[in-house]
Amino acid sequence: MNFIGTRKNNKHSDTIFSVLLSVLILALIGGCSEQNPAQEKPLNILFILTDDQAPDTVAAFGNNNINTPNLDSLANQGMRFSHVFNQGAWSGAVCLPSRQMINTGRHLYRTGLDARGMNDPKFVAKHTTFGETFKQSGYDTFQTGKWHLSMDVWRRSFTHGKAIHKNGMSRHEKGGHWDGNFTDYDGTKSGDAAFTDYKGGKHTSEVVADAAVDFLANRNDVSKPFMMYVGFLAPHDPLHAPDEYLAKYPRDKMQLPENFLKYHPFDQGDYYLRDEVLSGFPRSEKNIKAMLSKYYAMIEHTDAQIGRILAELEASGQADNTLIIYTSDHGLAMGQHGLLGKQNQYDHSVRAPFVVKGPNIPVGKTATGMFYLNSVFPTAAELAGLEIPESVDAPSIVPLINGEKDVAFDTVYGAYRHFQRMVRSQDYKLIYYPMIKRTQLFDMKADPLEIHDLSTKPEHADRIVSMMAQLEEWKVIVEDPLDLNAPQASYDAFLKLTWD
């Protein structure tokens, strides 16, 4: 029988054929849905942020002297970016501006905080935060660990919170990492009664990991997607690590950085800030090795806690439908260039490790990046299918993830108070010190450790002029208030700024 011929002359057959075809299509669609359930679900977000972790302190990024198996696994299963930058700081507490940029997606001088860390009330009402974007989209939003911004912004951003560390660091005299201050949030209560303060009683990295694991294991409504913001306090000083981890990094076996110096060649501004006087002058090789021993031990211990969170994510059945972004707020000098802290524009301090893993993310791929940490927010939003708020300045790096391009910016900018300004391409970096009218120029391809200053070489004079012009362009973009010809006066005016 010719089925087609029969169908042409039989209305009843037409009806049967239409019904059968519809059933077949629905069956095929249903079958596809069952085979790809993750595609039907909203994407979960797990954001992991460490504190003061230099860009070269993950084994997968090329450091053979440190053991970071969980971060290595994350990098090998996802995509890593080699050149990701903190844009700078208006104060010595570089951690605070970095977190403000991450949580607003905005540039350094456009975050809603002035140089004293005062909130602009118009900002609070006007701009949507990272967590708030997901909260308003029906996500369970959870935060644990270091926050360092106002608790008003915290309330706007999160539905759940446990082991929140409100402050910038857990100082040695207040318990350090062994007994830090934490706060739990109870959303059923209002006002101050919603927050309960307590002492951690164990290492801060373990307290934070405990809270993250507990959230994943005991969610009340698993039908909702989640957005987790996990902020470790480590490896920020005080350099406290369990003995079993310290034993893995004997002081006498630690290698000094190739760019170690006993003194920085000149006072770059805030040379005697708290971070810089954690060890004496001249820098002692013995002391720097001792500090590196503790620093590496803290990082490996934190890596183990990250492993616990990732294991619980797997156990929850949500791993295949979760975007993981791991990074740090900035780097740290730890003896390089004769410095200890992050109040400088060298790569060891302005860059951070960065890994993205999740559905449709390339596996085992490395790209350059050339973007700032404030791209975390719009990237997570775009990958989750959410609208990026208009207030966000930073670009999403989805085009980089998709391989459409290798870098977000041709040049990046950096600032530290009124003491330092920086502009960097993939090839060269210029650092300018307005207070002392000094310039440094480094060939970043031939001299990635920034050892040889080329600024006095006549053949680079035109390059310096061109890069200073690029710096001025970036100052306009980020609304940098500094007048390079009058740095003290222009920045004093910024410090006195009041919001009207």
Side-chain angles (χ1 to χ4, degrees):
M1 177 185 292
N2 188 321
F3 183 79
I4 296 176
T6 305
R7 178 175 173 265
K8 285 182 179 178
N9 298 305
N10 191 321
K11 292 183 179 180
H12 181 65
S13 297
D14 281 348
T15 303
I16 295 174
F17 179 82
S18 298
V19 172
L20 289 174
L21 183 61
S22 299
V23 171
L24 178 61
I25 290 171
L26 289 171
L28 288 171
I29 293 172
C32 291
S33 298
E34 290 175 2
Q35 291 171 5
N36 300 285
Q39 295 179 7
E40 301 299 320
K41 300 177 183 177
L43 188 67
N44 301 310
I45 307 294
L46 170 55
F47 176 51
I48 301 173
L49 182 67
T50 59
D51 194 351
D52 278 14
Q53 187 174 359
D56 64 346
T57 56
V58 178
F61 280 72
N63 188 338
N64 296 322
N65 299 312
I66 194 167
N67 186 39
T68 51
N70 295 291
L71 290 175
D72 294 349
S73 177
L74 191 67
N76 293 332
Q77 294 175 39
M79 184 174 182
R80 71 194 82 170
F81 291 90
S82 61
H83 289 70
V84 181
F85 296 82
N86 171 42
Q87 204 174 80
W90 55 72
S91 70
V94 183
C95 309
L96 170 59
S98 180
R99 282 166 174 75
Q100 191 75 1
M101 285 182 277
I102 288 170
N103 281 282
T104 62
R106 291 172 69 81
H107 292 317
L108 179 60
Y109 295 100
R110 291 170 47 79
T111 61
L113 289 190
D114 67 13
R116 300 160 298 166
M118 301 293 289
N119 274 302
D120 174 2
K122 291 180 293 185
F123 163 79
V124 173
K126 185 177 180 182
H127 301 317
T128 307
T129 67
F130 183 13
E132 191 175 20
T133 296
F134 285 86
K135 181 179 178 181
Q136 291 177 348
S137 298
Y139 276 65
D140 275 341
T141 54
F142 168 82
Q143 195 270 332
T144 183
K146 183 168 177 175
W147 178 235
H148 209 183
L149 304 180
S150 79
M151 293 310 289
D152 288 338
V153 175
W154 191 97
R155 281 179 178 270
R156 288 172 48 203
S157 302
F158 302 105
T159 55
H160 300 75
K162 187 174 183 180
I164 307 157
H165 185 76
K166 300 177 184 177
N167 301 319
M169 61 177 289
S170 185
R171 295 182 180 274
H172 181 84
E173 64 272 17
K174 294 185 178 181
H177 285 283
W178 297 119
D179 198 20
N181 295 319
F182 288 97
T183 301
D184 286 353
Y185 172 72
D186 184 348
T188 65
K189 299 179 181 178
S190 60
D192 293 340
F195 296 97
T196 302
D197 299 335
Y198 59 96
K199 300 290 282 184
K202 60 169 74 172
H203 197 284
T204 61
S205 293
E206 296 171 14
V207 175
V208 170
D210 286 350
V213 168
D214 180 71
F215 174 76
L216 285 169
N218 297 296
R219 294 178 63 223
N220 292 326
D221 186 359
V222 295
S223 66
K224 282 187 174 183
F226 62 78
M227 179 270 196
M228 297 177 65
Y229 182 116
V230 180
F232 286 97
L233 284 69
H236 193 298
D237 70 271
L239 299 176
H240 294 161
D243 289 343
E244 61 266 35
Y245 288 90
L246 288 169
K248 297 181 178 185
Y249 300 96
R251 297 179 183 183
D252 58 344
K253 298 286 181 65
M254 298 302 296
Q255 294 184 10
L256 283 174
E258 291 181 45
N259 51 1
F260 165 80
L261 293 174
K262 292 185 177 181
Y263 294 98
H264 191 265
F266 53 89
D267 184 349
Q268 91 287 12
D270 276 354
Y271 196 38
Y272 299 100
L273 191 75
R274 188 202 73 88
D275 286 22
E276 295 299 336
V277 298
L278 292 174
S279 183
F281 300 93
R283 304 304 191 194
S284 156
E285 293 187 9
K286 179 180 179 181
N287 287 349
I288 295 301
K289 286 185 176 182
M291 294 180 76
L292 283 169
S293 167
K294 296 174 183 177
Y295 185 59
Y296 278 27
M298 287 185 78
I299 290 170
E300 183 174 344
H301 177 239
T302 303
D303 177 88
Q305 307 315 308
I306 292 172
R308 291 177 54 213
I309 298 170
L310 297 179
E312 186 60 41
L313 180 64
E314 287 285 348
S316 73
Q318 297 291 331
D320 290 341
N321 194 52
T322 299
L323 174 72
I324 303 172
I325 301 177
Y326 150 76
T327 189
S328 192
D329 52 357
H330 44 68
L332 201 65
M334 293 299 288
Q336 298 180 81
H337 294 100
L339 303 171
L340 295 179
K342 57 265 187 178
Q343 295 81 8
N344 63 82
Q345 296 301 305
Y346 297 113
D347 264 26
H348 50 63
S349 296
V350 298
R351 279 170 53 195
F354 198 98
V355 175
V356 182
K357 174 185 178 291
N360 302 316
I361 304 296
V363 174
K365 181 180 178 181
T366 298
T368 304
M370 291 292 285
F371 60 87
Y372 305 106
L373 292 169
N374 56 10
S375 282
V376 166
F377 174 3
T379 300
E382 181 174 352
L383 288 172
L386 306 184
E387 184 175 349
I388 300 170
E390 291 184 3
S391 59
V392 170
D393 292 329
S396 162
I397 63 164
V398 169
L400 279 66
I401 292 172
N402 292 340
E404 298 168 29
K405 53 183 181 177
D406 192 51
V407 298
F409 297 105
D410 293 328
T411 62
V412 293
Y413 150 98
Y416 176 67
R417 296 187 62 195
H418 55 298
F419 295 123
Q420 305 159 20
R421 291 297 182 271
M422 179 271 285
V423 66
R424 184 200 197 282
S425 68
Q426 293 186 65
D427 297 323
Y428 286 90
K429 175 191 284 187
L430 179 143
I431 307 175
Y432 183 65
Y433 301 86
M435 292 295 292
I436 59 175
K437 308 298 182 186
R438 181 157 182 165
T439 303
Q440 290 176 304
L441 180 70
F442 299 103
D443 182 337
M444 300 307 295
K445 290 289 178 67
D447 179 28
L449 295 179
E450 299 164 278
I451 296 173
H452 306 291
D453 180 8
L454 305 175
S455 62
T456 60
K457 303 290 184 181
E459 61 268 31
H460 290 289
D462 289 344
R463 187 185 309 280
I464 290 174
V465 171
S466 175
M467 295 188 77
M468 287 297 291
Q470 291 172 339
L471 178 59
E472 288 295 338
E473 291 172 1
W474 266 112
K475 284 175 60 191
V476 173
I477 293 170
V478 304
E479 299 184 8
D480 185 345
L482 191 73
D483 180 347
L484 297 183
N485 295 317
Q488 187 76 58
S490 60
Y491 221 68
D492 280 350
F494 175 62
L495 291 170
K496 294 174 183 177
L497 181 67
T498 57
W499 305 109
D500 51 25

